[in-house]
Coordinates of all heavy atoms in Angstrom, one line a residue:
M1 N 30.0 8.7 51.0 CA 29.9 8.6 52.5 C 29.8 10.0 53.0 O 30.7 10.5 53.8 CB 31.1 7.9 53.0 CG 31.2 6.4 52.7 SD 30.1 5.4 53.6 CE 31.0 5.2 55.1
S2 N 28.8 10.7 52.6 CA 28.6 12.1 53.2 C 27.1 12.4 53.3 O 26.3 11.6 52.8 CB 29.3 13.1 52.4 OG 28.7 13.2 51.1
G3 N 26.8 13.4 54.1 CA 25.4 13.8 54.3 C 25.0 13.4 55.7 O 25.7 12.8 56.4
D4 N 23.8 13.9 56.0 CA 23.3 13.7 57.4 C 22.7 12.3 57.6 O 22.9 11.7 58.6 CB 22.3 14.8 57.7 CG 23.1 16.1 58.0 OD1 24.3 16.0 58.3 OD2 22.4 17.2 58.0
A5 N 21.9 11.9 56.6 CA 21.2 10.6 56.8 C 22.1 9.5 56.3 O 21.9 9.0 55.2 CB 19.9 10.6 56.0
D6 N 23.2 9.3 57.0 CA 24.2 8.4 56.5 C 24.1 7.0 57.1 O 25.0 6.2 56.9 CB 25.6 9.0 56.8 CG 25.7 9.5 58.2 OD1 24.8 9.2 59.0 OD2 26.7 10.1 58.6
E7 N 23.1 6.8 57.9 CA 22.9 5.5 58.5 C 21.6 4.9 58.1 O 20.6 5.6 57.8 CB 23.1 5.5 60.0 CG 24.5 5.9 60.4 CD 24.5 6.4 61.8 OE1 24.4 5.6 62.7 OE2 24.5 7.6 62.0
R8 N 21.5 3.6 58.2 CA 20.2 2.9 57.9 C 19.8 2.2 59.1 O 20.5 1.4 59.7 CB 20.4 2.0 56.7 CG 19.1 1.3 56.3 CD 19.2 0.6 55.0 NE 19.4 1.6 53.9 CZ 19.0 1.4 52.6 NH1 18.4 0.3 52.3 NH2 19.3 2.3 51.7
C9 N 18.5 2.4 59.4 CA 18.0 1.7 60.6 C 17.9 0.2 60.3 O 17.2 -0.2 59.3 CB 16.6 2.3 61.0 SG 15.8 1.3 62.3
P10 N 18.5 -0.7 61.1 CA 18.5 -2.1 60.8 C 17.1 -2.7 61.1 O 16.9 -3.9 60.7 CB 19.6 -2.7 61.7 CG 19.7 -1.7 62.8 CD 19.3 -0.4 62.2
R11 N 16.2 -2.0 61.7 CA 14.9 -2.5 62.1 C 13.9 -2.3 61.0 O 13.2 -3.1 60.6 CB 14.5 -2.0 63.4 CG 13.2 -2.6 64.0 CD 13.0 -2.2 65.4 NE 11.8 -2.7 65.9 CZ 10.6 -2.1 65.9 NH1 10.5 -1.0 65.3 NH2 9.5 -2.7 66.4
C12 N 13.8 -1.0 60.6 CA 12.8 -0.6 59.6 C 13.4 -0.3 58.2 O 12.6 -0.2 57.3 CB 11.9 0.6 60.1 SG 12.8 2.1 60.2
G13 N 14.7 -0.2 58.2 CA 15.3 0.1 56.9 C 15.3 1.5 56.5 O 15.8 1.9 55.4
G14 N 14.8 2.4 57.3 CA 14.8 3.8 57.0 C 16.1 4.4 57.2 O 16.9 4.0 58.1
S15 N 16.4 5.5 56.5 CA 17.7 6.2 56.7 C 17.5 7.2 57.8 O 16.4 7.8 57.9 CB 18.2 6.8 55.4 OG 17.2 7.7 54.9
F16 N 18.5 7.4 58.6 CA 18.5 8.4 59.7 C 19.9 8.7 60.0 O 20.9 8.2 59.5 CB 17.8 7.7 60.9 CG 18.6 6.7 61.6 CD1 19.1 7.1 62.9 CD2 18.9 5.5 61.1 CE1 19.9 6.1 63.5 CE2 19.7 4.6 61.8 CZ 20.2 4.9 63.0
H17 N 20.0 9.7 60.9 CA 21.3 10.1 61.4 C 21.4 10.0 62.9 O 20.6 10.7 63.6 CB 21.6 11.5 60.9 CG 22.9 12.1 61.5 ND1 24.1 11.6 61.1 CD2 23.1 13.0 62.4 CE1 25.1 12.2 61.7 NE2 24.5 13.1 62.6
C18 N 22.3 9.2 63.4 CA 22.5 9.1 64.8 C 23.5 10.2 65.2 O 24.5 10.3 64.6 CB 23.0 7.7 65.2 SG 23.3 7.5 67.0
G19 N 23.2 10.9 66.3 CA 24.1 12.0 66.7 C 25.1 11.6 67.7 O 25.7 12.4 68.3
V20 N 25.4 10.3 67.7 CA 26.4 9.8 68.7 C 27.8 10.4 68.5 O 28.5 10.5 69.5 CB 26.4 8.3 68.8 CG1 27.1 7.7 67.6 CG2 26.9 7.8 70.1
D21 N 28.1 10.7 67.3 CA 29.4 11.3 67.0 C 29.4 12.8 66.9 O 30.4 13.4 66.7 CB 29.9 10.8 65.6 CG 30.2 9.3 65.7 OD1 30.6 8.8 66.8 OD2 30.0 8.6 64.7
D22 N 28.2 13.4 67.2 CA 28.1 14.8 67.1 C 28.5 15.4 68.5 O 28.7 14.7 69.5 CB 26.7 15.3 66.8 CG 26.3 14.9 65.4 OD1 27.2 14.4 64.6 OD2 25.1 15.0 65.0
A23 N 28.6 16.7 68.5 CA 29.0 17.4 69.7 C 27.9 17.3 70.7 O 28.1 17.1 71.9 CB 29.3 18.9 69.4
A24 N 26.6 17.5 70.3 CA 25.5 17.3 71.2 C 25.2 15.9 71.3 O 25.4 15.1 70.4 CB 24.3 18.1 70.6
P25 N 24.7 15.5 72.5 CA 24.3 14.1 72.7 C 23.2 13.7 71.8 O 22.3 14.4 71.6 CB 23.9 14.0 74.2 CG 24.3 15.3 74.8 CD 24.5 16.3 73.7
C26 N 23.3 12.4 71.3 CA 22.2 11.9 70.5 C 20.9 11.7 71.3 O 21.0 11.3 72.5 CB 22.6 10.6 69.9 SG 21.4 9.8 68.9
P27 N 19.8 12.0 70.8 CA 18.5 11.8 71.6 C 18.4 10.4 72.0 O 17.7 10.1 73.0 CB 17.4 12.2 70.6 CG 18.1 13.0 69.5 CD 19.5 12.6 69.5
C28 N 19.0 9.5 71.3 CA 18.8 8.1 71.7 C 19.4 7.7 73.0 O 18.9 6.8 73.7 CB 19.3 7.1 70.6 SG 21.1 7.2 70.4
V29 N 20.4 8.5 73.4 CA 21.0 8.2 74.7 C 20.1 8.7 75.9 O 20.3 8.3 77.0 CB 22.4 8.8 74.9 CG1 23.3 8.2 73.8 CG2 22.4 10.3 74.8
A30 N 19.2 9.6 75.6 CA 18.3 10.1 76.6 C 17.0 9.4 76.7 O 16.3 9.7 77.6 CB 18.1 11.6 76.3
L31 N 16.8 8.4 75.8 CA 15.6 7.7 75.9 C 15.6 6.7 77.0 O 16.7 6.1 77.3 CB 15.3 7.0 74.5 CG 15.0 8.0 73.4 CD1 15.0 7.2 72.1 CD2 13.7 8.7 73.6
P32 N 14.5 6.4 77.6 CA 14.4 5.5 78.8 C 14.4 4.1 78.4 O 13.4 3.3 78.7 CB 13.1 5.9 79.5 CG 12.2 6.4 78.4 CD 13.1 7.1 77.4
L33 N 15.4 3.6 77.7 CA 15.4 2.2 77.3 C 15.9 1.4 78.5 O 16.8 1.8 79.2 CB 16.4 2.0 76.2 CG 16.0 2.5 74.8 CD1 17.2 2.7 73.9 CD2 15.0 1.6 74.2
S34 N 15.2 0.3 78.7 CA 15.6 -0.6 79.9 C 16.9 -1.4 79.5 O 17.2 -1.5 78.4 CB 14.5 -1.5 80.2 OG 14.3 -2.5 79.2
E35 N 17.5 -1.8 80.6 CA 18.7 -2.6 80.3 C 18.4 -3.8 79.5 O 19.2 -4.2 78.6 CB 19.3 -3.1 81.7 CG 19.9 -2.0 82.5 CD 21.2 -1.4 81.9 OE1 21.9 -2.2 81.3 OE2 21.4 -0.2 81.9
A36 N 17.3 -4.5 79.7 CA 16.9 -5.7 79.0 C 16.7 -5.3 77.5 O 17.2 -6.1 76.6 CB 15.7 -6.3 79.5
T37 N 16.1 -4.2 77.2 CA 15.9 -3.8 75.8 C 17.2 -3.4 75.2 O 17.4 -3.8 74.0 CB 14.9 -2.6 75.8 OG1 13.7 -2.9 76.4 CG2 14.6 -2.2 74.3
L38 N 18.1 -2.7 75.9 CA 19.4 -2.4 75.3 C 20.2 -3.6 75.0 O 20.8 -3.7 73.9 CB 20.1 -1.5 76.3 CG 19.7 0.0 76.3 CD1 20.5 0.7 77.4 CD2 20.1 0.6 75.0
A39 N 20.1 -4.6 75.9 CA 20.9 -5.8 75.7 C 20.3 -6.6 74.4 O 21.1 -7.1 73.6 CB 20.8 -6.7 76.9
D40 N 19.0 -6.6 74.3 CA 18.4 -7.2 73.2 C 18.8 -6.5 71.9 O 19.1 -7.1 70.9 CB 16.9 -7.2 73.4 CG 16.1 -8.1 72.4 OD1 16.6 -9.2 72.2 OD2 15.2 -7.6 71.7
L41 N 18.8 -5.2 71.9 CA 19.2 -4.4 70.7 C 20.6 -4.7 70.3 O 20.9 -4.9 69.1 CB 19.1 -2.9 71.0 CG 17.7 -2.3 71.0 CD1 17.7 -0.9 71.4 CD2 17.0 -2.6 69.7
R42 N 21.5 -4.8 71.3 CA 22.9 -5.1 71.0 C 23.1 -6.5 70.4 O 24.0 -6.7 69.5 CB 23.8 -4.9 72.2 CG 23.8 -3.5 72.7 CD 25.0 -3.3 73.7 NE 24.9 -1.9 74.2 CZ 24.5 -1.6 75.4 NH1 24.1 -2.6 76.2 NH2 24.5 -0.4 75.9
A43 N 22.3 -7.4 70.9 CA 22.4 -8.8 70.4 C 21.8 -8.9 69.0 O 22.3 -9.7 68.2 CB 21.7 -9.7 71.3
R44 N 20.8 -8.1 68.7 CA 20.0 -8.3 67.5 C 20.6 -7.4 66.3 O 20.6 -7.8 65.2 CB 18.6 -7.8 67.7 CG 17.6 -8.9 67.3 CD 16.2 -8.3 67.5 NE 15.6 -8.7 68.7 CZ 14.4 -9.2 68.8 NH1 13.6 -9.2 67.8 NH2 13.9 -9.5 70.0
Y45 N 21.0 -6.2 66.7 CA 21.3 -5.2 65.6 C 22.8 -4.8 65.8 O 23.4 -4.8 66.8 CB 20.4 -4.0 65.7 CG 19.0 -4.4 65.6 CD1 18.1 -4.1 66.7 CD2 18.4 -5.0 64.4 CE1 16.8 -4.5 66.6 CE2 17.1 -5.3 64.4 CZ 16.3 -5.0 65.5 OH 14.9 -5.4 65.4
D46 N 23.3 -4.3 64.6 CA 24.7 -3.9 64.6 C 24.9 -2.5 65.2 O 25.9 -2.2 65.9 CB 25.2 -3.9 63.2 CG 26.6 -4.5 63.1 OD1 27.0 -5.0 64.1 OD2 27.1 -4.5 62.0
G47 N 24.0 -1.6 64.9 CA 24.2 -0.2 65.3 C 22.9 0.4 65.9 O 22.1 -0.4 66.5
C48 N 22.9 1.7 65.9 CA 21.7 2.4 66.5 C 20.5 2.2 65.6 O 20.6 2.0 64.4 CB 22.1 3.9 66.6 SG 21.1 4.8 67.7
L49 N 19.3 2.3 66.2 CA 18.1 2.4 65.5 C 17.6 3.8 65.4 O 18.1 4.7 66.1 CB 17.0 1.5 66.2 CG 17.3 0.1 66.5 CD1 16.0 -0.6 67.0 CD2 17.8 -0.6 65.3
C50 N 16.7 4.0 64.4 CA 16.1 5.3 64.3 C 15.2 5.7 65.5 O 14.8 4.8 66.2 CB 15.3 5.5 63.0 SG 13.8 4.6 62.9
L51 N 15.0 6.9 65.7 CA 14.2 7.4 66.8 C 12.8 6.7 66.8 O 12.3 6.4 67.9 CB 14.1 8.9 66.8 CG 15.1 9.6 67.6 CD1 14.9 11.1 67.5 CD2 15.1 9.2 69.1
G52 N 12.2 6.6 65.7 CA 10.9 6.0 65.6 C 10.8 4.6 66.1 O 9.9 4.3 66.9
C53 N 11.8 3.8 65.8 CA 11.9 2.5 66.2 C 12.2 2.4 67.7 O 11.6 1.6 68.5 CB 12.9 1.7 65.5 SG 12.4 1.2 63.8
L54 N 13.1 3.3 68.2 CA 13.4 3.3 69.6 C 12.1 3.7 70.4 O 11.9 3.1 71.5 CB 14.5 4.3 69.9 CG 15.9 4.0 69.4 CD1 16.8 5.1 69.6 CD2 16.4 2.7 70.0
R55 N 11.3 4.6 69.9 CA 10.1 5.0 70.6 C 9.1 3.8 70.7 O 8.4 3.6 71.6 CB 9.5 6.2 70.0 CG 10.3 7.4 70.2 CD 9.4 8.7 70.1 NE 10.2 9.9 70.4 CZ 10.6 10.8 69.5 NH1 10.3 10.6 68.2 NH2 11.3 11.8 69.8
E56 N 9.1 3.1 69.6 CA 8.2 1.9 69.5 C 8.6 0.9 70.6 O 7.8 0.3 71.3 CB 8.2 1.3 68.1 CG 7.3 1.9 67.1 CD 7.3 1.2 65.8 OE1 7.4 -0.1 65.8 OE2 7.4 1.8 64.8
L57 N 9.9 0.7 70.7 CA 10.4 -0.3 71.6 C 10.1 0.1 73.0 O 9.8 -0.7 73.9 CB 11.9 -0.5 71.4 CG 12.3 -1.2 70.1 CD1 13.8 -1.1 69.9 CD2 11.9 -2.6 70.2
I58 N 10.3 1.4 73.3 CA 10.0 2.0 74.6 C 8.5 1.8 74.9 O 8.1 1.4 76.1 CB 10.3 3.4 74.7 CG1 11.9 3.6 74.7 CG2 9.8 4.1 75.9 CD1 12.4 4.9 74.4
A59 N 7.6 2.0 74.0 CA 6.2 1.8 74.2 C 5.9 0.3 74.5 O 5.1 0.0 75.3 CB 5.4 2.2 72.9
A60 N 6.7 -0.6 73.8 CA 6.5 -2.0 74.0 C 7.0 -2.4 75.4 O 6.5 -3.4 75.9 CB 7.3 -2.8 72.9
Q61 N 7.9 -1.7 75.9 CA 8.4 -1.9 77.3 C 7.3 -1.7 78.3 O 7.3 -2.2 79.4 CB 9.6 -1.0 77.6 CG 10.9 -1.4 77.0 CD 11.9 -0.4 77.3 OE1 13.1 -0.6 76.9 NE2 11.6 0.7 77.9
G62 N 6.4 -0.8 77.9 CA 5.3 -0.4 78.9 C 5.8 0.6 79.9 O 5.2 0.8 80.9
I63 N 6.9 1.3 79.6 CA 7.4 2.3 80.5 C 7.1 3.7 79.9 O 7.4 4.0 78.8 CB 9.0 2.2 80.6 CG1 9.3 0.8 81.2 CG2 9.5 3.3 81.4 CD1 10.8 0.5 81.2
R64 N 6.5 4.5 80.8 CA 6.2 5.8 80.3 C 7.5 6.7 80.3 O 8.3 6.6 81.3 CB 5.2 6.4 81.3 CG 3.8 5.8 81.2 CD 2.7 6.6 81.8 NE 1.4 6.0 81.7 CZ 0.9 5.2 82.6 NH1 1.6 4.9 83.7 NH2 -0.3 4.6 82.5
P65 N 7.6 7.5 79.3 CA 8.9 8.3 79.1 C 9.3 9.1 80.4 O 10.4 9.2 80.7 CB 8.6 9.2 78.0 CG 7.5 8.5 77.2 CD 6.7 7.7 78.2
H66 N 8.3 9.5 81.1 CA 8.6 10.4 82.2 C 8.5 9.7 83.6 O 8.7 10.3 84.6 CB 7.8 11.6 82.2 CG 8.0 12.5 81.1 ND1 9.2 13.2 80.8 CD2 7.2 12.8 80.0 CE1 9.1 13.8 79.7 NE2 7.9 13.6 79.1
A67 N 8.2 8.4 83.6 CA 8.1 7.7 84.8 C 9.5 7.1 85.1 O 10.1 6.5 84.3 CB 7.1 6.6 84.7
P68 N 9.9 7.3 86.4 CA 11.2 6.7 86.7 C 11.1 5.1 86.8 O 10.1 4.6 87.2 CB 11.5 7.2 88.1 CG 10.2 7.6 88.6 CD 9.3 8.0 87.4
V69 N 12.2 4.5 86.4 CA 12.2 3.0 86.4 C 12.4 2.6 87.9 O 13.3 3.0 88.5 CB 13.3 2.5 85.5 CG1 13.3 0.9 85.6 CG2 13.1 2.9 84.1
P70 N 11.5 1.7 88.4 CA 11.6 1.3 89.8 C 12.9 0.5 90.0 O 13.3 -0.2 89.2 CB 10.4 0.5 90.0 CG 9.8 0.2 88.7 CD 10.3 1.2 87.7
Ligands
ZN1 ZN1 13.8 2.4 62.4

C-alpha cells in the first residue's frame, strides 16, 4: 500500500492517483462536473475516477470547460 498510483479507476481499470488527500487540491475538484454527473458517479462508483474518464464524462455532458454553467 505505497506509491503514487495507489488507486484504480473503477471505470476504465487504469491506475491513477487522486490528490484529494494531498496538500494541493486534486484536479478533479476543479473540473466542471455537473451536479447530475456527480450524483451519477457517486451512485455508480465507489471512489474517484481518473482524469481521463472525468474529461470524457465532461465532454459527454456537452459543457465546455471554460463556459459557465447557466
Ligand atoms: Zn478512468
Side-chain angles (χ1 to χ4, degrees):
M1 293 285 279
S2 64
D4 281 343
D6 49 5
E7 292 162 77
R8 182 169 293 210
C9 173
R11 186 170 179 268
C12 70
S15 59
F16 74 107
H17 174 71
C18 179
V20 74
D21 294 326
D22 294 353
C26 179
C28 65
V29 300
L31 292 170
L33 288 163
S34 71
E35 289 293 322
T37 303
L38 279 174
D40 192 49
L41 284 179
R42 292 195 186 105
R44 232 188 261 226
Y45 305 115
D46 225 5
C48 198
L49 301 190
C50 71
L51 267 180
C53 281
L54 291 176
R55 289 205 176 105
E56 276 183 41
L57 291 170
I58 288 163
Q61 285 174 174
I63 297 172
R64 292 195 179 93
H66 294 296
V69 179

